[in-house]
Amino acid sequence: MSLEIKIKMNESLFLKNPENSDLGKNIVQHAIQLIHLKGFEAFTFKKLAFSIGTTEAGIYRYFENKHKLLVYLTSWYWGWLEFKIDYHTNNISNPVVKLKKVISLLAKTVEDDKNTSHIDEGILHQIVISEGSKSYLTKHVGKDNKQKFFKPYKDLCNIVGKIILECNKKYKYPKSLASTIIEMAHLQNFFMNNLPSLTDFSKQKDESEIVSFLTEMVFSSIHINQK
Amino acid sequence: MSLEIKIKMNESLFLKNPENSDLGKNIVQHAIQLIHLKGFEAFTFKKLAFSIGTTEAGIYRYFENKHKLLVYLTSWYWGWLEFKIDYHTNNISNPVVKLKKVISLLAKTVEDDKNTSHIDEGILHQIVISEGSKSYLTKHVGKDNKQKFFKPYKDLCNIVGKIILECNKKYKYPKSLASTIIEMAHLQNFFMNNLPSLTDFSKQKDESEIVSFLTEMVFSSIHINQK
DNA sequence: TATTTTAGATAGCAATACTATCAATAAATA
DNA sequence: TATTTATTGATAGTATTGCTATCTAAAATA
């Protein structure tokens, strides 16, 4: 028996739920491939329609525009990651061990999750690294925020912030440190692969160096000896 | 006698140097206003032309496309900031004091620099916060990097990294910590103003809280007691 | 079987992202 | 002073993007 994971999505992100039809799933699946291939700026609904074998109008029946599709994809990713973090840390009672696990889950390459058929989490992870911040770096971030578009991201940040507080109740900046970890787990990865002189990691090396950097930074900041 | 600051710019960023003509300076000046007003996505050369009272073709004589104009503006900002950091720290011999000054210069609101007539650094700072990362989060980051588009950013990162090493020669991640400081000085500011629940700072409060957060993070990481 | 939902096909339109051409004017230089 | 050169303005045009509308056929559901 295989358990299909379903991430509960904000209904305002789509016109028709892509999870409920083959075309919808195809849109999501191929959007991930195409955004990864072309980059978000060069990605268009017309190209997406062509790659699926449907029409532009067909895509517009599911998503209002490509920005909402991006928010949908990143939201899905954060929701899925929260689930994954829950799953891998619920049996850990020591908050220090828990926080280390979270950092590792945030910064390490994602392998395709077989429990979600149409979504390739590995590629989606790459998209979140390269395009994720474009989902909120807009003039309409305030409106989008009112519509709860960033709830999954905030939820994750909150969870991480709470674990930080469990490690040290007196630490003054749990949320900022949490958002710093999350953002830097991705940005240091992007820099490592594209602008390596902005990091101390070589392209050859895997993400474990990023994990070490972040881990040392976090536990120093909250004055906990993690060794 | 007023000393006009001139930032040496990468010649590949423009077709005709905007510093050398009134129209060019107008383009830069109004581009800053318009990008800040509309956001980079909604900003077009046609709108810019209209706001200056020239034609679209006129803008294209100076900049190949709006992406290069964005890279131009952010590069200018990083060059200007490096100059400013130099100016404010060259007389400081203690690297700990120096690093604190740098963090403060990175994170605090910028006031318009009267030494540059056509560029409003305060607004440009806002643009770098909201749009800056879009200059490298592209599929052509590799090509752009080969053309040295990101040299000013890398130079700044290098300077900060070196100061970190001056504080603690044994610290393993000076460049990553430097890029983390620079990015987070901006991103925490953006979050504070737009997605405040991702930070521990209230909208009312000024950037000094961000400076405190970053300062504690940095000096903890390099195991220096800054008090 | 009747009816609602879904998808494919086609058309069209305003805005965007450019490129090209030509004339007017101002500045630099012969 | 005459003349080349650089700069700008004006206009046109094209391919692509972003989006809406309509109509039909097929599939799912009542």
Side-chain angles (χ1 to χ4, degrees):
Chain A
M1 187 185 90
S2 94
L3 198 69
E4 269 276 308
I5 294 177
K6 265 221 169 182
I7 311 289
K8 203 178 149 18
M9 299 295 296
N10 184 326
E11 306 248 322
S12 308
L13 286 173
F14 48 77
L15 299 168
K16 192 183 297 191
N17 193 333
E19 297 279 340
N20 293 342
S21 72
D22 285 348
L23 179 59
K25 285 178 197 165
N26 256 311
I27 289 172
V28 170
Q29 182 182 10
H30 286 84
I32 292 170
Q33 305 295 326
L34 206 57
I35 292 173
H36 182 243
L37 184 71
K38 305 245 179 200
F40 187 65
E41 280 71 38
F43 165 83
T44 69
F45 277 7
K46 195 162 209 166
K47 290 173 189 166
L48 176 57
F50 180 79
S51 92
I52 300 175
T54 182
T55 59
E56 211 184 345
I59 318 282
Y60 277 103
R61 289 194 185 107
Y62 285 84
F63 293 99
E64 238 179 287
N65 52 54
K66 70 174 185 174
H67 183 260
K68 286 207 175 163
L69 174 51
L70 179 66
V71 178
Y72 178 91
L73 292 176
T74 52
S75 292
W76 194 97
Y77 180 81
W78 297 122
W80 174 79
L81 197 64
E82 183 185 332
F83 177 84
K84 206 178 163 187
I85 286 175
D86 260 23
Y87 182 85
H88 284 98
T89 63
N90 78 82
N91 59 330
I92 303 174
S93 56
N94 184 340
V96 172
V97 178
K98 202 185 265 191
L99 187 49
K100 286 170 99 168
K101 183 72 195 171
V102 167
I103 292 171
S104 166
L105 286 169
L106 279 166
K108 283 208 173 164
T109 301
V110 169
E111 71 287 5
D112 189 12
D113 185 334
K114 299 287 177 258
N115 293 322
T116 58
S117 48
H118 64 295
I119 295 186
D120 184 326
E121 286 81 8
I123 298 182
L124 186 52
H125 179 228
Q126 290 300 121
I127 291 176
V128 172
I129 287 173
S130 307
E131 321 286 357
S133 51
K134 294 170 192 167
S135 66
Y136 56 75
L137 290 176
T138 67
K139 274 284 157 185
H140 45 89
V141 56
K143 274 185 211 163
D144 287 357
N145 189 31
K146 269 185 197 141
Q147 285 188 86
K148 310 250 180 288
F149 285 2
F150 309 114
K151 187 169 182 298
Y153 185 73
K154 289 176 171 182
D155 286 351
L156 181 66
C157 200
N158 236 287
I159 288 169
V160 178
K162 272 180 190 157
I163 301 174
I164 290 171
L165 274 186
E166 275 183 69
C167 293
N168 177 352
K169 281 193 200 359
K170 288 186 178 163
Y171 183 64
K172 278 188 289 181
Y173 312 106
K175 292 179 192 174
S176 288
L177 188 57
S179 54
T180 298
I181 298 168
I182 296 171
E183 288 294 327
M184 280 303 134
H186 288 151
L187 202 53
Q188 291 292 321
N189 184 301
F190 182 87
F191 286 161
M192 177 175 79
N193 287 305
N194 297 285
L195 301 165
S197 70
L198 298 176
T199 75
D200 304 281
F201 320 125
S202 59
K203 227 175 188 171
Q204 263 53 20
K205 285 175 188 164
D206 63 326
E207 295 89 352
S208 61
E209 300 245 341
I210 299 176
V211 173
S212 300
F213 162 64
L214 292 173
T215 306
E216 287 191 27
M217 186 177 82
V218 169
F219 288 102
S220 301
S221 290
I222 60 178
H223 303 104
I224 300 279
N225 187 346
Q226 24 104 17
K227 299 284 159 64
Chain B
M1 189 185 85
S2 93
L3 198 68
E4 269 277 305
I5 293 176
K6 263 222 172 181
I7 310 289
K8 201 179 151 16
M9 298 297 293
N10 185 326
E11 306 248 322
S12 307
L13 286 174
F14 48 76
L15 299 168
K16 192 183 296 191
N17 193 334
E19 297 279 340
N20 294 341
S21 72
D22 285 348
L23 179 59
K25 285 180 198 163
N26 257 311
I27 289 172
V28 170
Q29 181 181 12
H30 286 84
I32 292 171
Q33 304 296 325
L34 206 55
I35 292 173
H36 181 245
L37 184 69
K38 305 243 181 203
F40 186 65
E41 280 71 38
F43 165 82
T44 70
F45 276 9
K46 194 163 209 166
K47 289 172 189 166
L48 176 58
F50 180 80
S51 92
I52 299 174
T54 182
T55 60
E56 213 183 344
I59 318 281
Y60 277 103
R61 289 193 184 107
Y62 284 84
F63 293 98
E64 240 179 284
N65 52 54
K66 70 175 185 172
H67 183 258
K68 286 206 175 165
L69 175 51
L70 179 65
V71 178
Y72 179 92
L73 293 177
T74 52
S75 292
W76 195 97
Y77 180 80
W78 297 121
W80 175 80
L81 197 63
E82 183 185 332
F83 176 85
K84 206 178 164 188
I85 286 174
D86 260 23
Y87 183 86
H88 285 97
T89 63
N90 78 82
N91 59 330
I92 303 175
S93 55
N94 182 342
V96 173
V97 178
K98 203 186 265 191
L99 188 49
K100 287 171 100 167
K101 183 73 195 171
V102 168
I103 292 171
S104 164
L105 286 169
L106 279 165
K108 283 208 174 162
T109 301
V110 168
E111 71 286 5
D112 189 11
D113 184 335
K114 299 286 178 262
N115 293 321
T116 58
S117 47
H118 64 296
I119 295 185
D120 184 327
E121 286 80 10
I123 297 182
L124 185 52
H125 178 231
Q126 291 299 121
I127 290 176
V128 173
I129 287 174
S130 308
E131 321 286 357
S133 50
K134 294 170 192 168
S135 66
Y136 55 75
L137 290 177
T138 67
K139 274 283 157 186
H140 47 89
V141 56
K143 274 184 211 165
D144 288 358
N145 190 31
K146 269 184 195 139
Q147 288 188 84
K148 309 250 180 289
F149 285 2
F150 309 114
K151 188 169 182 296
Y153 184 74
K154 288 175 170 184
D155 287 350
L156 181 65
C157 200
N158 235 289
I159 288 170
V160 178
K162 272 181 189 156
I163 302 174
I164 290 171
L165 274 186
E166 276 184 69
C167 292
N168 177 352
K169 280 193 205 348
K170 290 187 178 165
Y171 182 64
K172 280 188 289 182
Y173 312 106
K175 291 178 192 173
S176 288
L177 188 58
S179 53
T180 299
I181 298 169
I182 296 171
E183 289 294 328
M184 280 303 135
H186 289 151
L187 202 54
Q188 292 291 322
N189 184 302
F190 183 87
F191 286 160
M192 177 175 80
N193 287 305
N194 297 285
L195 301 165
S197 69
L198 297 176
T199 75
D200 304 282
F201 320 125
S202 57
K203 225 172 187 171
Q204 261 53 20
K205 285 175 187 164
D206 64 324
E207 294 89 352
S208 62
E209 301 245 341
I210 299 176
V211 174
S212 301
F213 163 64
L214 292 172
T215 305
E216 286 191 27
M217 186 177 82
V218 169
F219 288 101
S220 302
S221 290
I222 60 179
H223 303 104
I224 300 279
N225 187 345
Q226 23 102 21
K227 298 287 158 61

